[in-house]
Amino acid sequence: MSGRTDSPDAPVPLARSHPAPGVVLELLKPITWFPPMWAFMCGAVSSGAPFGSTWHLAIAGIILAGPLVCGMSQAVNDWFDRHVDAINEPQRPIPSGRMPGRWGLYVAVAWTGVSLAWGAMLGFWGFLATLLGVALAWAYSAPPLRLKANGWWGNLACGLAYESLPWITAAAVLSAAAPSLEVLLIATLYGLSAHGIMTLNDFKAIEGDRRIGILSLPVQLGPERAARVACWFMGVPQVVVVALLVAMDAPVHAAIVALLLAGQSWAMARMLRDPKALAPWYNGTGVLMFVLGMLTCGFALRAGAVL
């Protein structure tokens, strides 16, 4: 007698035809929203606008920079990276099948539309910045440009989009005017510095990137050389920032950023002993000092120092 207890008439569970809300949120990667939200806050501080009358613009901009534009960029990236994620991170929503069919693409397109609509509510500067952010996000991940296929260009686009663009946008939106030269310079320098942080983030995907043909810097240069290049990218722009703060007659702020850079240099030296293993550790130590330096510069600019 057979031991089977099931019946041919028993119902068969059906695969989901659409993703659960929690899976959509996972696709948007909330953990990645912090850098552009922080950069927008630094830009709001640097604008010099009174917080009492502009707080609603600041909150709307932080939502735009993080959950909307950054979330959209993560959905776009996951859709076009679904093949490499199947190697590096098979548990991600799309390769795992929890985001069925073409829903990853549908979410990316829908979130693009929501971001543009939200950006339009922030006026000319807000909408212009949103257009640029959306264009960079698609150019970074999608063919034919797919900037991320080469670590030099992809990390540059990502650093400028995560750090420089939100900072400059906030300064423009809250002051209702084009940003000052010193805001543009410091925001751009921190975006260039973020190139190195993006390189360290590539260490976790070396195997899949190599197999798929993505030329991240760790793939092109090897982990050790890529880590040294990342350190130069992170350090040199901040040295220039310190010099600019001194020129702006903000010696106290310059000293704080210099001390934070010294702390980052210590963390870099430790990370270089084993870049592949210690890159995540650096992201929890050196990057913290990096973002504190950004905020310090925001207050220096708010104090009204001029070149």
Side-chain angles (χ1 to χ4, degrees):
M1 183 175 180
S2 172
R4 289 176 61 91
T5 58
D6 57 336
S7 147
D9 298 324
V12 177
L14 297 176
R16 293 187 67 100
S17 60
H18 59 277
V23 176
V24 175
L25 182 63
E26 185 181 348
L27 182 73
L28 301 178
K29 292 185 186 175
I31 195 172
T32 66
W33 300 349
F34 172 77
M37 292 170 70
W38 182 267
F40 193 96
M41 184 183 71
C42 292
V45 171
S46 69
S47 71
F51 292 130
S53 59
T54 59
W55 63 269
H56 60 291
L57 291 175
I59 292 175
I62 288 172
I63 293 172
L64 176 68
L68 295 182
V69 175
C70 184
M72 174 273 303
S73 73
Q74 298 302 323
V76 173
N77 187 64
D78 268 29
W79 174 254
F80 290 103
D81 261 12
R82 59 194 185 279
H83 304 301
V84 71
D85 283 346
I87 300 170
N88 291 323
E89 298 180 272
Q91 77 282 2
R92 293 291 304 147
I94 295 175
S96 69
R98 292 177 293 124
M99 179 73 64
R102 299 175 68 84
W103 269 97
L105 178 61
Y106 301 155
V107 171
V109 172
W111 224 237
T112 297
V114 172
S115 298
L116 290 170
W118 190 278
M121 295 191 300
L122 293 177
F124 171 77
W125 293 109
F127 184 64
L128 184 64
T130 305
L131 278 174
L132 181 55
V134 165
L136 282 172
W138 283 88
Y140 176 77
S141 299
L145 293 179
R146 193 158 167 75
L147 297 175
K148 73 171 297 175
N150 186 298
W152 297 105
W153 295 110
N155 290 352
L156 176 62
C158 206
L160 294 175
Y162 267 55
E163 306 294 356
S164 305
L165 183 59
W167 187 320
I168 293 168
T169 303
V173 168
L174 269 70
S175 63
S180 64
L181 175 60
E182 54 266 38
V183 166
L184 291 173
L185 287 173
I186 289 180
T188 300
L189 285 165
Y190 271 105
L192 293 174
S193 191
H195 189 298
I197 297 174
M198 301 305 163
T199 297
L200 296 184
N201 288 338
D202 288 336
F203 276 74
K204 65 181 183 295
I206 294 176
E207 178 188 353
D209 287 348
R210 185 179 289 118
R211 289 172 61 180
I212 296 296
I214 295 177
L215 299 177
S216 67
L217 293 193
V219 169
Q220 292 187 52
L221 306 176
E224 290 74 20
R225 288 180 63 199
R228 289 195 294 272
V229 169
C231 290
W232 281 106
F233 264 108
M234 290 186 287
V236 172
Q238 292 183 77
V239 171
V240 179
V241 166
V242 171
L244 282 173
L245 291 174
V246 171
M248 292 163 54
D249 196 24
V252 173
H253 299 87
I256 293 172
V257 174
L259 287 173
L260 290 168
L261 179 56
Q264 292 171 68
S265 299
W266 165 80
M268 289 175 194
R270 184 175 187 271
M271 183 266 297
L272 287 173
R273 299 173 191 169
D274 189 351
K276 193 170 181 179
L278 293 174
W281 170 83
Y282 184 87
N283 285 337
T285 52
V287 174
L288 174 61
M289 291 180 273
F290 174 85
V291 298
L292 289 175
M294 291 174 60
L295 186 59
T296 300
C297 290
F299 280 110
L301 292 165
R302 186 175 186 83
V306 294
L307 288 174

